[in-house]
Amino acid sequence: MTLSVDIAKRFPSFGLEVKLEAGDEVFGLLGASGCGKSLTMRCIAGIETPDEGKIVVNGEVFFDSAAKINLKPQQRKTALLFQNYMLFPNLTVEDNVAAGIPKDTPRAERDAIVQSELHRFDVAAFAKRYPAQLSGGQQQRVALARMLAAKPGILMLDEPFSALDAHLKGVLEQNLASLFDAFDGTILYVSHDIDEAVRFCNRIAVIERGHVMETDASRDLINNPKSMAGLKLSGCKNAVEVEKINDTHVYCPQWGVKVSVLGGVPDDVKGIGVRAFNLQRVDEPGCNVYRVRVDRTSDSRFERMCMLSFVDRDERAEPLVSATDQEVHFLHQRMFWRVSLREQDVQLPEVGEELLIRIPPEHLYVVNA
């Protein structure tokens, strides 16, 4: 089972140019809203038509602009699960599950397939009900049953948990585990949530503004991101653009400070990143130690998040702004620091306090894309 996509589609204010290869795996498309994740899926399903390129699924050409091939959606044998599940409101649960089964399938075989999937997803008791009579979780299970009943060549899921609360999301994730175990082939999974993507996906493609920035194994994206987009989507709060000074140092205009880097600085360096929980409070000056001021704090159940401004900013740095002047710019100029509330005798930082913070070079990410 394979998927090969190399397409382009252009709009007045947006261009999609995506190239990716996937095998018998759960392959994630990770990116912010509007980056082109869902559009890519819709092109594969035939709902949208690329301007040029080629789409091949399991050896069958779905689209080829050069050869003038463009199969209709119903010819493509894809299963696309939308955020709102797209159940037919006028059909019962069992008829919804049967909707994707080929019409020439013998009645007995069709009924057996429907019953098998209803039981797999524990919705057999609702077979005669209509979608409006089901909860959101029940509707999702029906949609998943319909996907498998159609025996598609590829499964595609478009942010299936985006509208669910945390508790229900945790329960329904187990439904997806059943779906993935039962399907032998390529599964595309769209998400903007890194934790969700890592939980489900073998590999992840990071998409930004219509382009694939990097493709990595899920854990590699967390431990060794290679692009600014991947760095930010991996959950790194402190991801900033830099300029190369020499082989061991970069300058960060955003913070107005020079930062020491281990392992060498590439000529095409784009940015650096450090996770908020890796920052260290220290008592004396040293390498990558900076005098900072605590400008804002907020507490959750287990940690205090602090926003820090650099006191000794370089003369090239733009003046610091306050939150009342411009909130977005205020955030842009600060560094995030997470302090655990679980530790005993921890010295909690307070607003207005000045202290020394170390950015450990060994915990710095350096990216060049």
Side-chain angles (χ1 to χ4, degrees):
M1 298 291 189
T2 59
L3 167 70
S4 176
V5 176
D6 187 358
I7 56 172
K9 186 173 179 63
R10 300 174 185 87
F11 299 91
S13 59
F14 178 80
L16 179 76
E17 294 184 13
V18 168
K19 184 175 183 179
L20 56 87
E21 303 278 341
D24 185 2
E25 60 184 321
V26 183
F27 189 91
L29 302 180
L30 181 68
S33 298
C35 72
K37 309 183 301 294
S38 297
L39 178 59
T40 300
M41 276 193 175
R42 293 169 68 88
C43 286
I44 296 170
I47 301 170
E48 298 278 355
T49 301
D51 295 328
E52 60 187 72
K54 192 172 183 178
I55 301 172
V56 182
V57 176
N58 302 327
E60 182 178 8
V61 178
F62 282 11
F63 175 81
D64 188 336
S65 57
K68 300 189 183 305
I69 297 173
N70 186 19
L71 299 187
K72 296 178 180 179
Q74 56 268 32
Q75 296 175 303
R76 299 195 181 200
K77 292 293 287 182
T78 63
L80 176 54
L81 180 67
F82 293 97
Q83 297 173 13
N84 59 359
Y85 312 138
M86 298 291 286
L87 297 177
F88 298 109
N90 59 322
L91 298 183
T92 63
V93 165
E94 61 183 0
D95 289 337
N96 262 284
V97 174
I101 301 174
K103 300 299 182 184
D104 58 355
T105 303
R107 179 62 180 267
E109 182 181 345
R110 187 197 69 173
D111 290 347
I113 293 172
V114 170
Q115 290 305 312
S116 174
E117 300 307 332
L118 289 176
H119 281 91
R120 184 196 306 276
F121 291 100
D122 196 24
V123 288
F126 312 126
K128 302 300 182 182
R129 295 188 186 181
Y130 290 88
Q133 298 172 303
L134 304 178
S135 68
Q138 292 163 351
Q139 289 182 24
Q140 190 204 51
R141 298 207 298 275
V142 173
L144 297 179
R146 183 178 62 182
M147 290 180 76
L148 279 190
K151 299 189 183 305
I154 182 173
L155 293 183
M156 298 186 287
L157 297 95
D158 189 358
E159 302 202 56
F161 300 125
S162 61
L164 303 180
D165 61 50
H167 173 70
L168 186 57
K169 179 178 176 180
V171 173
L172 295 183
E173 282 178 352
Q174 302 309 310
N175 297 331
L176 277 195
S178 298
L179 175 74
F180 295 166
D181 289 343
F183 185 74
D184 181 21
T186 303
I187 301 172
L188 279 188
Y189 192 97
V190 158
S191 181
H192 64 267
D193 184 326
I194 181 64
D195 292 325
E196 182 181 302
V198 168
R199 209 158 31 243
F200 288 118
C201 302
N202 304 107
R203 291 191 300 141
I204 297 173
V206 174
I207 299 182
E208 183 179 54
R209 295 191 294 273
H211 294 76
V212 177
M213 305 305 295
E214 63 176 292
T215 301
D216 286 303
S218 298
R219 187 52 56 183
D220 288 342
L221 180 61
I222 300 294
N223 296 332
N224 188 29
K226 299 178 179 63
S227 67
M228 285 294 288
L231 190 58
K232 293 175 182 177
L233 288 169
S234 74
C236 183
K237 293 289 186 183
N238 301 308
V240 294
E241 295 182 353
V242 297
E243 302 165 2
K244 180 175 180 177
I245 297 176
N246 52 44
D247 289 341
T248 57
H249 291 83
V250 295
Y251 174 67
C252 175
Q254 184 171 320
W255 294 337
V257 297
K258 182 174 70 172
V259 181
S260 176
V261 175
L262 295 179
V265 179
D267 291 337
D268 58 349
V269 63
K270 291 291 190 301
I272 60 171
V274 59
R275 301 197 183 279
F277 58 79
N278 279 330
L279 297 179
Q280 300 169 349
R281 185 171 187 168
V282 296
D283 297 324
E284 56 187 41
C287 178
N288 284 1
V289 174
Y290 307 93
R291 190 160 59 102
V292 299
R293 181 177 59 250
V294 181
D295 291 335
R296 181 184 292 174
T297 65
S298 60
D299 291 350
S300 63
R301 289 180 298 165
F302 305 118
E303 64 187 18
R304 172 167 293 182
M305 176 65 83
C306 304
M307 300 194 63
L308 310 175
S309 60
F310 291 83
V311 175
D312 304 312
R313 291 164 60 86
D314 185 276
E315 64 273 5
R316 292 175 291 171
E318 59 189 25
L320 281 173
V321 300
S322 66
T324 55
D325 292 334
Q326 190 177 354
E327 176 69 12
V328 173
H329 206 39
F330 172 86
L331 298 174
H332 178 78
Q333 294 179 329
R334 267 71 181 178
M335 183 168 63
F336 291 81
W337 177 32
R338 293 184 188 274
V339 182
S340 174
L341 299 179
R342 297 178 177 181
E343 298 178 10
Q344 296 292 326
D345 302 321
V346 63
Q347 186 179 359
L348 291 177
E350 302 292 345
V351 172
E353 182 181 358
E354 289 192 4
L355 46 88
L356 294 177
I357 287 290
R358 178 175 180 262
I359 299 177
E362 64 272 21
H363 289 304
L364 269 179
Y365 300 109
V366 180
V367 298
N368 59 358

